[in-house]
Amino acid sequence: MKATVQVSRGIESLFGTRDENMRVLESGLNVRTSLGADTLEIEGEPESVQRAESILEDYFALVREGAVFKNGDLNSLLRVVTADPEVTLRSLFKSGQQRSFGKKVLAPKSVTQRRYLEAIERNDLVFGIGPAGTGKTYLAVAMAVQALIGKRFTRIILTRPAVEAGERLGFLPGSLQEKIDPYLRPLYDALYDMLEAEKVEKLLERASIEVAPLAFMRGRTLNDSFIILDEAQNTTPEQMKMVLTRQGFNSKMVVTGDITQIDLPGGRRSGLLDAVEILKGVEGITFVQFDERDVVRHSLVQRIVRAYEKYNEGVAGRQLSLKLTDSMPIEPVPAQA
């Protein structure tokens, strides 16, 4: 089947750098496109062609209404709408309207990111679980900064377990703070991206923002605070229980982690895995699960995440097969006559 869509202004951002946006549309829906003088022709299976036609008509209508797609936004939106037939480009764009987070103006780039932001607004404890590059930590910090600026909380607490990912930092020179800062650098990076450097320094000095290793949370009660526990997959069950019970009055907590990147020594059980099992169904707690479709870094990162997931599934299958083989009873060999 073939269909033709009239093109208007906005054709450059539709195609994107090196036609990357059209490649997402073509590969996601298994269609082929060709650009004419003032038309775009789509060819493929009838259902896929109709879906592509609807997406493109939404795009050109939004452009005519004044919508502007920047910095890979359209690429991220196309990845969502080609993967989920229930979502339209218009509804995704409208629901993901930009918000101001300090000096940053951001919009959720996927359905899951939108659900994540809504969950943080509505609930006092939210778990954001999924692979690297999905915006779990960055969006949590953005929401914390917005809440602090809006005076809904008096301080932000950012914490991470100090677990080495195959590296040893303990013998580095310097004070304790200088030794642990490398673990916490991603949290500082997000803060400096949201706020002016001078503002961050003043808030840190006044303890309105606190960035500290998880061990520093023990014995405290955190009232009137927006608390973010990052890299939660590297907590032990005891640490996870400890930090979850630090939450005080008028406080909100966001826990982020990637269960495929557990760096705990000696194969210890992850506190994040425990929390998912124990707290599922508890009123007031929301779990938001990200996957490779929500990756908002370089498109190669999405393919890397998918490749690792496929490999791990294969390894798990082989291990199960070996376990079943080992558990099978050995038939006695009949004696030779």
Side-chain angles (χ1 to χ4, degrees):
M1 178 181 172
K2 288 186 179 181
T4 302
V5 176
Q6 290 292 125
V7 300
S8 60
R9 63 192 181 90
I11 194 69
E12 297 84 1
S13 60
L14 170 63
F15 275 76
T17 307
R18 299 179 182 175
D19 298 344
E20 62 182 2
N21 294 338
M22 294 308 295
R23 286 203 300 273
V24 169
L25 186 72
E26 290 177 337
S27 62
L29 298 176
N30 196 24
V31 296
R32 294 180 301 279
T33 63
S34 56
L35 181 64
D38 57 357
T39 60
L40 188 63
E41 192 171 86
I42 313 161
E43 186 176 355
E45 293 295 320
E47 189 176 343
S48 298
V49 170
Q50 289 169 7
R51 178 73 175 143
E53 188 179 15
S54 172
I55 291 169
L56 290 170
E57 286 174 350
D58 269 357
Y59 169 76
F60 285 115
L62 286 166
V63 169
R64 286 194 297 272
E65 292 166 19
V68 178
F69 298 87
K70 296 179 180 178
N71 303 326
D73 285 351
L74 182 59
N75 192 271
S76 300
L77 295 173
L78 287 173
R79 279 190 272 142
V80 175
V81 295
T82 55
D84 189 344
E86 300 299 317
V87 178
T88 67
L89 183 63
R90 174 175 287 277
S91 66
L92 186 61
F93 179 80
K94 292 295 184 182
S95 67
Q97 292 297 301
Q98 294 181 334
R99 307 177 183 209
S100 178
F101 300 99
K103 68 178 182 180
K104 273 282 183 182
V105 177
L106 302 172
K109 296 180 184 293
S110 72
V111 173
T112 311
Q113 283 196 353
R114 188 185 77 225
R115 283 178 46 235
Y116 184 54
L117 294 179
E118 289 171 353
I120 293 172
E121 285 178 340
R122 290 195 313 266
N123 299 277
D124 288 337
L125 178 54
V126 175
F127 286 78
I129 302 169
T134 50
K136 306 181 301 295
T137 303
Y138 193 81
L139 290 174
V141 173
M143 292 293 282
V145 166
Q146 186 185 59
L148 185 69
I149 291 172
K151 301 188 186 304
R152 295 196 297 277
F153 302 97
T154 58
R155 59 180 172 168
I156 299 172
I157 308 288
L158 305 173
T159 185
R160 269 185 163 199
V163 175
E164 296 101 336
E167 301 170 80
R168 296 291 175 188
L169 302 177
F171 294 105
L172 291 176
S175 65
L176 175 62
Q177 191 64 43
E178 288 168 336
K179 286 176 186 288
I180 61 179
D181 270 355
Y183 295 107
L184 306 171
R185 180 47 51 189
L187 298 174
Y188 284 111
D189 289 344
L191 280 174
Y192 283 110
D193 211 25
M194 303 287 166
L195 297 168
E196 300 294 340
E198 288 184 8
K199 179 83 168 173
V200 173
E201 296 302 330
K202 285 180 181 177
L203 290 169
L204 287 167
E205 285 175 16
R206 297 204 304 260
S208 295
I209 297 179
E210 182 180 343
V211 186
L214 186 57
F216 287 22
M217 298 297 108
R218 191 171 295 278
R220 301 176 64 184
T221 300
L222 305 173
N223 294 318
D224 204 29
S225 303
F226 194 119
I227 309 147
I228 299 172
L229 169 59
D230 191 34
E231 295 288 315
Q233 76 275 5
N234 288 328
T235 61
T236 64
E238 296 80 13
Q239 287 175 323
M240 178 60 78
K241 182 180 177 183
M242 178 273 291
V243 74
L244 292 178
T245 54
R246 298 307 92 200
Q247 192 169 355
F249 294 108
N250 188 39
S251 288
K252 188 183 291 287
M253 183 179 292
V254 180
V255 178
T256 68
D258 177 2
I259 57 176
T260 68
Q261 296 196 58
I262 297 172
D263 302 312
L264 288 169
R268 294 197 65 185
R269 173 80 173 170
S270 167
L272 181 58
L273 290 174
D274 261 18
V276 170
E277 290 181 13
I278 295 167
L279 301 177
K280 192 169 288 182
V282 174
E283 187 179 352
I285 301 176
T286 299
F287 292 85
V288 179
Q289 181 68 54
F290 294 83
D291 59 31
E292 82 279 351
R293 292 172 297 178
D294 301 302
V295 172
V296 291
R297 293 180 185 168
H298 193 291
S299 58
L300 184 59
V301 174
Q302 189 181 45
R303 296 196 291 274
I304 290 169
V305 170
R306 192 180 300 123
Y308 268 94
E309 286 181 350
K310 187 176 179 181
Y311 173 78
N312 289 333
E313 286 170 6
V315 169
R318 289 194 297 273
Q319 288 174 341
L320 178 61
S321 177
L322 287 171
K323 186 179 290 186
L324 290 173
T325 302
D326 290 342
S327 64
M328 288 176 65
I330 301 172
E331 296 288 336
V333 179
Q336 295 290 328

